[in-house]
Amino acid sequence: MNALQEQLSNILVDNFGAPSELLTDEITLEELGFDSLAVVELALVVKRTFGVTVVSDEITPEHTFVATVRLLENKGVNV
Amino acid sequence: MRGPDSSTVGDLGAGPAAGRGDIAVTGLGLVTPAGIGEAANWAAITAGTPTASADPALAGLPVDFSCRVPDFDPNAEFGRKAAWRLDRFAQLAMAAARQAVASAGLDPATWDGARVGVVLGNSLGGSTTFERQHGTLIEGGPDYVSPLTVPMSMVNMVAGYVAIDVRASGPSLVTATACASGSTAIGLARDLLRSSACDVVLAGGTESALSPTVMAALHNMGALSSGDGDPRTASRPFAADRNGFVAAEGAGVLVLERPADARARGARIRANLSGYAATSDAHHVTAPDPSGRSAANAVRAALADAGIPADEVAHVNAHGTATPLNDAAEARVLSGVLSHGPLVTSTKGVTGHTLAAAGAIEAAYTVLTIENGLVPPTANVTAVDERLGVNLVTGAAKSERIDVAVSNSFGFGGHNSVLVLTAA
């Protein structure tokens, strides 16, 4: 797990109570307990933490963990 | 012992038909400053142990103490995944509702949820969430305001959350009659059972609004006790030196059923809800009508509803907030309607004032008082205000058989709600 993956997984677990034992690259946010409102909340935390804006059609509950990491990398997040 | 003799209960004219049927209380849930669960609450209430203490969240404010629920861990109760999206007023209610259902011996996994209703009182909703998000708006701009702000803050949501949690798909309602809300909820729940709209109703109240803005506003209104340097003794209902209430948080939920249904499933009937009535002062936004006329009418009407003569009331769990005006007006009501001098207590000396939750928490305490034959003392009262003429229990709890008790609740806006509870 690289530093960004680790930081994102910490956010998912600590802020949103995602079960850490379920975290895999291919698990979806929905499977981690996120609905559409929670995903918007996640985008706010991401903005506050990494300084990048993620709009609602860029991230959905169907996004996998690894797809979410890739999205942040594509936005220039580098931790 | 009980009869439809309305001549003994005052001058209400035709009034409601008396004795239309008791409703059984079969479960209690309490999440209050006095503790979590019946046992902890009853121990603190009967010992008269005050719960007010310095509140770090209020540091720097003129009143920097409150009564908070101790050791409540929402992550342990609901899991972090669910807890983070619930305001505390909903968390407290959900925990109390779960307790009440369990104590009634009911199982949401097997009940017919369509026949189960939820009626909860609340007044200030998720004001702590709202205040925090307002800070976010000012500090970071609109992009950072949580999309959950509205569903976390709306007062109605607590009934929705509880309904989801216990799979209750009958009517779910929130009553908002300020500090009478929890009592009003129990009264409306009674009607849902009497009309057969429901077979089981979870009825109660919840409040957690100890935010800096709310507390500053209550202080500026002159409603809060100054504490006089010692928060623990600040809540002194009916005391000669009372000087305001101590704000508190908490939730109380009762499980109500028709007695025949409760008996049919072998449930223990803890007490009966025998009467309920509500009136309005139509006098002032926040101050009670000093004559107590409408509040007295509520007591009379609740007794008429129960078909119980006033002189059979053995105990009153008073609204007793410890504000000079409330306690004086309530004392006038008691001396007018219940002039035979039943034992009076205000459990707010222990819990502080849980606002919209108070009526429900105190109804639960009244059930426990009837069950145990033990009237809790009014904490912190060293000298009763003798001008009030109230037969106040102070010092130690008093052993006394209680067959009929009244629980009063009054709220800003002039709402008066009175419950009559009787031994099963």
Side-chain angles (χ1 to χ4, degrees), chain B residues 86 90 94 118 120 154-168 172-174:
Chain B
L86 297 166
M94 288 169 68
V118 177
L120 296 171
M154 296 164 78
V155 293
N156 67 294
M157 293 303 285
V158 66
Y161 286 128
V162 169
I164 291 166
D165 195 47
V166 301
R167 297 176 60 251
S172 59
L173 310 166
V174 162

Side-chain angles (χ1 to χ4, degrees), chain B residues 51-99:
Chain B
T51 62
S53 64
D55 187 336
L58 305 176
L61 295 178
V63 172
D64 58 2
F65 57 93
S66 69
C67 299
R68 285 195 183 264
V69 176
D71 305 322
F72 179 69
D73 181 355
N75 292 333
E77 178 77 27
F78 308 110
R80 175 78 185 140
K81 194 164 74 174
W84 74 268
R85 40 195 309 166
L86 297 166
D87 186 274
R88 192 170 167 90
F89 88 107
Q91 293 172 346
L92 299 180
M94 288 169 68
R98 286 179 175 187
Q99 266 182 37

